[in-house]
Amino acid sequence: MIKRIHILTGIIALAAVSGCAVDNSYNLENLDTEMTFFKGSDFPVPDLKPFLIGDYLDLNGYDYIITDDRGDYYIRFELEPVVASVTVPALGSDDRIPIDFDPVEFEFGRVPDFLSGKDQQIAPDLSEMEIELGLDSEIPAEFTASCTLETLVSGKVNHSYYIDNLPIRYGENRYFIKEKAAGPDDIAVAGLGSILSPVPDALKFSELDIFATAGQRALVAPGVDYDLLFNALIQTPICFSADNRFTLTFPLDASLNLDKVGLKKAELWLDYDNTVPLNFSLVAYALDASGKRIDTVKASTDSEIAGLSSGTACVTLTTSGDLRFSSIEIELTVSSGSTLSGVHINQNQGLRFHAMHLYLPDGIQVRLDTPVNP
C-alpha cells in the first residue's frame, strides 16, 4: 500500500514537470493518510498460572503443620509423655504433695516467616488454640493440680500461663484448655489464643504441683511411690485474621508486545474464579521492554474481585499520546472490606484467571505518509 502511494506521487510529480495539468479530483496529496486497522479486534492472552494459598504460604515440610481432609491448615504437636513420681508424706499440714517432675519442652525448630512474625503480610489468627491435657493417676484418692505453661523466644519467656485447680481422680483424667470454655471438660485460660503468636522457639510446661486435703491424704499409704502420667496434645487451626494486607503481582506473557504499535486505548478482559475468602482490588501496569512500569499509561478497572466468586473483570489502559508497551503486569491487593477473622486458611484456596484477551475498541491508527525505512 505504501509503495503504491510513492509510485503514484512520482507520476504526479512527473506530470507537473512536463507541464501537464492535473485534475484536483485525482490529486492523491489531498487523501487522508491515516488509516485504522483491527478496530474492535480481540487478541488472546495466555492464561496465568493459578495463585494458590498453599504455594504462597509454603507451609510444607514442617512436622507440626498439617492439613485435614479438606486441606485446612493446623498447627499440631504432642509433647513426650512424662511419668512423675508422687510420695504422700505421713505427716504434715501442708496440702502440697512433693512430686518429682522434670519440665516438658517442645522445640519447634524451623519456623516459616508467615508464623514467626518476620513476615506478617497475612497475620494468622490462632485464637482457636486447644490444649488436650492428660493426667493419669495411680494415686487412690482425689487431688488437685496446677501447672505453668511458657513459651520461649531466644531463651527468654515470651508468654506464661498459670493453669490452676485441675481435679485429679484415680485413673484417666482429660482436660481441654481453651481461650473460652464451651463444654463441661473445658478449662478457660485468658489470652491462650496468643500463645503461638508468633510461633516461639519452644513451648514448655515448667512446673507441676499437686495438692490434697488431709482427708484425701488419709486414703493413701504414706511413704509409697505412685506414678502420675503427664501428657499434652496442642493444636489450633490456622485462620485468617481481621488484618490481611498482602499484595500479589502477576506478569503477563510478553507476547502482548505492542511497543512498535501506537494505540489510543486498550482493554484487558479476563474471567476469574476466586476461591479465596478475600476481596481483591485489581490494577494493571504497562511495562516497557526492560520491564519497568510506564507511568504515563493509566489503568482503571470496573470492579474489585469479590471473595468466593466467579466473574469477569476489565482493565482499561489509556494515555495522552500513543499507547505503547511491551507487556502488562496485574497487581492484586487485599481489599479493606475483607474481614474474615476465624475463617480457616486452606491450601486449595486460590485465584485463577482464564479466557484473557486484549480488546482494541478503537483499533490501531497508522499514518500512511510516515517514512518507511528501507
Side-chain angles (χ1 to χ4, degrees):
M1 179 70 73
I2 295 175
K3 291 182 178 179
R4 183 178 181 183
I5 290 173
H6 288 330
I7 293 171
L8 289 174
T9 303
I11 294 173
I12 293 171
L14 181 62
V17 171
S18 62
C20 297
V22 179
D23 189 339
N24 284 333
S25 62
Y26 295 98
N27 187 352
L28 298 183
E29 292 182 349
N30 296 325
L31 287 179
D32 184 0
T33 57
E34 182 173 277
M35 298 188 67
T36 300
F37 299 90
F38 303 118
K39 185 174 183 178
S41 296
D42 280 318
F43 296 90
V45 178
D47 290 347
L48 294 170
K49 179 183 177 181
F51 160 78
L52 292 177
I53 285 286
D55 295 337
Y56 181 76
L57 297 180
D58 191 19
L59 298 180
N60 297 321
Y62 299 90
D63 293 338
Y64 53 88
I65 298 177
I66 63 170
T67 56
D68 64 10
D69 294 339
R70 295 173 305 224
D72 289 351
Y73 283 110
Y74 283 80
I75 294 178
R76 185 182 188 277
F77 56 91
E78 190 168 3
L79 276 67
E80 290 290 335
V82 172
V83 177
S85 180
V86 179
T87 303
V88 179
L91 300 173
S93 58
D94 189 359
D95 287 347
R96 186 175 185 276
I97 306 300
I99 180 173
D100 183 13
F101 173 77
D102 292 326
V104 184
E105 186 172 306
F106 179 89
E107 294 184 359
F108 287 89
R110 193 167 60 98
V111 178
D113 289 345
F114 164 59
L115 297 173
S116 68
K118 296 177 181 178
D119 180 8
Q120 292 288 280
Q121 290 187 329
I122 305 180
D125 178 2
L126 305 177
S127 61
E128 294 184 37
M129 167 66 62
E130 176 182 287
I131 301 175
E132 181 181 346
L133 187 62
L135 290 170
D136 300 338
S137 174
E138 292 185 352
I139 306 171
E142 184 172 330
F143 294 73
T144 60
S146 66
C147 59
T148 300
L149 178 60
E150 298 173 336
T151 61
L152 304 177
V153 177
S154 300
K156 297 181 179 180
V157 176
N158 189 37
H159 294 293
S160 182
Y161 302 89
Y162 183 68
I163 304 167
D164 198 13
N165 293 322
L166 299 174
I168 304 176
R169 301 173 182 87
Y170 176 77
E172 294 186 358
N173 299 269
R174 287 289 180 275
Y175 309 98
F176 298 92
I177 302 171
K178 304 178 180 180
E179 176 104 18
K180 297 180 180 178
D185 295 325
D186 292 349
I187 307 295
V189 175
L192 188 68
S194 301
I195 188 172
L196 297 182
S197 298
V199 172
D201 300 330
L203 185 143
K204 181 179 182 181
F205 278 94
S206 58
E207 296 179 3
L208 176 64
D209 297 311
I210 63 172
F211 306 85
T213 63
Q216 291 296 318
R217 289 203 309 271
L219 301 176
V220 181
V224 177
D225 293 337
Y226 296 95
D227 287 340
L228 184 66
L229 178 64
F230 175 92
N231 57 78
L233 173 64
I234 301 174
Q235 61 182 354
T236 178
I238 303 176
C239 303
F240 290 102
S241 72
D243 183 19
N244 301 283
R245 53 185 184 277
F246 64 97
T247 298
L248 308 172
T249 301
F250 299 91
L252 271 66
D253 190 275
S255 61
L256 279 175
N257 195 337
L258 294 174
D259 189 46
K260 303 300 182 183
V261 178
L263 306 175
K264 300 301 179 184
K265 182 179 179 181
E267 296 175 356
L268 177 65
W269 288 85
L270 49 90
D271 292 346
Y272 64 84
D273 298 310
N274 184 17
T275 58
V276 182
L278 295 171
N279 302 333
F280 292 94
S281 59
L282 183 152
V283 297
Y285 298 95
L287 306 180
D288 62 18
S290 63
K292 295 182 179 180
R293 291 179 179 177
I294 305 173
D295 295 335
T296 56
V297 175
K298 305 302 179 184
S300 60
T301 183
D302 53 357
S303 63
E304 70 174 13
I305 295 178
L308 303 178
S309 71
S310 297
T312 300
C314 174
V315 178
T316 302
L317 297 107
T318 57
T319 185
S320 57
D322 283 341
L323 184 63
R324 299 177 185 273
F325 53 88
S326 290
S327 60
I328 297 176
E329 183 178 73
I330 293 177
E331 186 176 88
L332 297 173
T333 303
V334 176
S335 168
S336 58
S338 301
T339 54
L340 293 164
S341 181
V343 177
H344 292 197
I345 297 178
N346 186 290
Q347 66 177 350
N348 300 315
Q349 293 165 341
L351 181 59
R352 184 173 73 92
F353 295 110
H354 56 97
M356 300 175 64
H357 60 277
L358 193 69
Y359 176 65
L360 307 182
D362 301 328
I364 301 172
Q365 286 77 42
V366 177
R367 290 192 60 85
L368 301 180
D369 58 355
T370 302
V372 178
N373 295 325

